Amino acid sequence: MSSIRIVPPGEVAKTAGAIPPLLFANLKSLYSRRAERLRQLAKEHALGDYLTFAATVVDAQQNAHHDHPLVIDLAEVLKASSVTDHAPLSVKYLPRSKHWQTLLTAIVAELEPDAPEHVAPVLEALKKAGSQELEDLATALLSGDIAKVGSDKAPFLWAALSLYWAQMATQIPGKARAEYGEERHNCPVCDSPPVASVVHIGTETGLRYLHCSLCESEWHMVRVKCSNCEQTGKLDYWSLDTEQAAIKAESCGDCGSYLKILYQDKDQYVEPVADDLASLVLDAKMEGENFARSGVNPFLFPSGE
């Protein structure tokens, strides 16, 4: 059983606690902030062109969200999840509606006019794909079968699926409560892996939250604990700069994985997707130390070969 559960509004009284176990995204600001950060990081960066292109994809997500809002009643979904061990919006069990395809169409249409030469054929292929073909690609992508999807199509499919899940997540009527138990390595909302973790400032100062790579929710996990296997004995922290670096990699000698951790007190503008993508040199360092990445970045899918 997951140690963070979303409960119906009638059970809110049982959620008392000083630490909010779950934070839902504010989609009105999330995409604009991410796009701005990507463009800022792109300046004088070796991957500047790609970071700038990623920003245009995020812009397209924001516009698709504005033009195609999702209105859905999730009360029954939440009720059903309360008697199972499934996350309420589990990618494994929740049936998708065609709304995500509407979002994909909107994102592709916005990107097409100014798409780089090597991207245009990919967008054209997605535009021409049939509905069932897109569903098959989505199923493969969400299950981690990148070889069936292709790393060229994956970011655009994920952009639409992520926006769809984020739209649903922000409409969940219940609240979250922390329970005894482990299994915090995947998102308690949709059961997807994190992109990175963030040590917050503000009302959650000093608290570490994992940021979902799909639905954009964040869930609390104590610091100095592996976000993948939850062991504490063999953790190390790596950076490219100094001990005061805003971006570090937390590695675990028990499971051989790593996930980046971002410190807002060192740089208030750090953003999980943008800063994770812009720090690929740190990924190369971790791979050189024989650690495997445990998170997923929407703009960094492996070839799947």
Side-chain angles (χ1 to χ4, degrees):
M1 178 181 293
S2 174
S3 55
I4 295 177
R5 290 181 69 82
I6 299 169
V7 296
E11 296 184 41
V12 170
K14 301 178 184 179
T15 65
I19 298 176
L22 184 64
L23 304 174
F24 291 108
N26 178 357
L27 299 187
K28 291 181 179 179
S29 61
L30 181 140
Y31 298 114
S32 58
R33 180 171 177 266
R34 180 171 296 163
E36 181 181 2
R37 180 64 170 175
L38 282 163
R39 290 189 171 95
Q40 177 190 358
L41 293 169
K43 297 174 182 176
E44 300 182 7
H45 194 289
L47 295 175
D49 288 347
Y50 188 60
L51 294 174
T52 300
F53 178 69
T56 67
V57 176
V58 177
D59 288 337
Q61 285 179 293
Q62 178 170 334
N63 292 335
H65 171 57
H66 178 270
D67 295 341
H68 303 281
L70 175 66
V71 178
I72 186 171
D73 185 353
L74 293 170
E76 289 303 315
V77 171
L78 186 62
K79 184 177 179 181
S81 72
S82 68
V83 295
T84 69
D85 284 338
H86 305 157
L89 304 183
S90 171
V91 293
K92 299 174 184 175
Y93 302 104
L94 184 75
R96 294 186 295 271
S97 77
K98 289 294 192 293
H99 182 75
W100 83 269
Q101 292 192 20
T102 299
L103 297 172
L104 177 64
T105 299
I107 290 170
V108 168
E110 179 154 342
L111 293 174
E112 272 191 310
D114 300 311
E117 188 175 340
H118 66 284
V119 172
V122 179
L123 298 177
E124 182 68 16
L126 289 172
K127 188 166 71 170
K128 291 181 176 178
S131 180
Q132 188 54 54
E133 181 184 355
L134 290 175
E135 289 300 336
D136 292 342
L137 287 171
T139 297
L141 180 59
L142 292 172
S143 62
D145 192 352
I146 310 301
K148 280 188 178 180
V149 180
S151 57
D152 54 347
K153 295 186 182 74
F156 307 108
L157 291 164
W158 193 274
L161 290 165
S162 176
L163 176 53
Y164 171 59
W165 251 272
Q167 286 180 327
M168 286 193 291
T170 55
Q171 294 186 55
I172 288 178
K175 293 193 176 182
R177 69 165 177 238
E179 297 182 340
Y180 292 109
E182 301 298 326
E183 299 182 27
R184 292 200 186 192
H185 52 283
N186 273 6
C187 176
V189 177
C190 69
D191 199 24
S192 297
V195 59
S197 66
V198 183
V199 177
H200 281 224
I201 56 175
T203 55
E204 293 90 29
T205 293
L207 299 178
R208 193 257 292 261
Y209 284 81
L210 302 184
H211 189 102
C212 181
S213 59
L214 186 68
C215 78
E216 309 283 4
S217 303
E218 292 191 347
W219 65 103
H220 178 253
M221 176 176 276
V222 296
R223 295 165 68 171
V224 198
K225 187 175 190 178
C226 176
S227 58
N228 186 55
C229 73
E230 306 192 40
Q231 297 301 307
T232 60
K234 299 180 180 179
L235 295 180
D236 286 299
Y237 295 85
W238 311 71
S239 71
L240 297 173
D241 304 312
T242 67
E243 276 193 27
Q244 298 304 309
I247 304 171
K248 294 182 180 180
E250 181 182 71
S251 69
C252 177
D254 282 301
C255 68
S257 76
Y258 76 93
L259 189 73
K260 288 176 195 163
I261 181 168
L262 315 180
Y263 298 86
Q264 288 184 341
D265 62 330
K266 304 293 191 298
D267 183 346
Q268 63 178 315
Y269 299 110
V270 289
E271 199 284 327
V273 170
D275 282 87
D276 177 64
L277 185 63
S279 56
L280 290 182
V281 176
L282 184 53
D283 290 274
K285 178 176 181 176
M286 299 311 296
E287 290 174 10
E289 297 289 342
N290 295 317
F291 289 103
R293 182 185 176 94
S294 64
V296 169
N297 189 295
F299 295 101
L300 192 65
F301 288 97
S303 64
E305 296 176 356

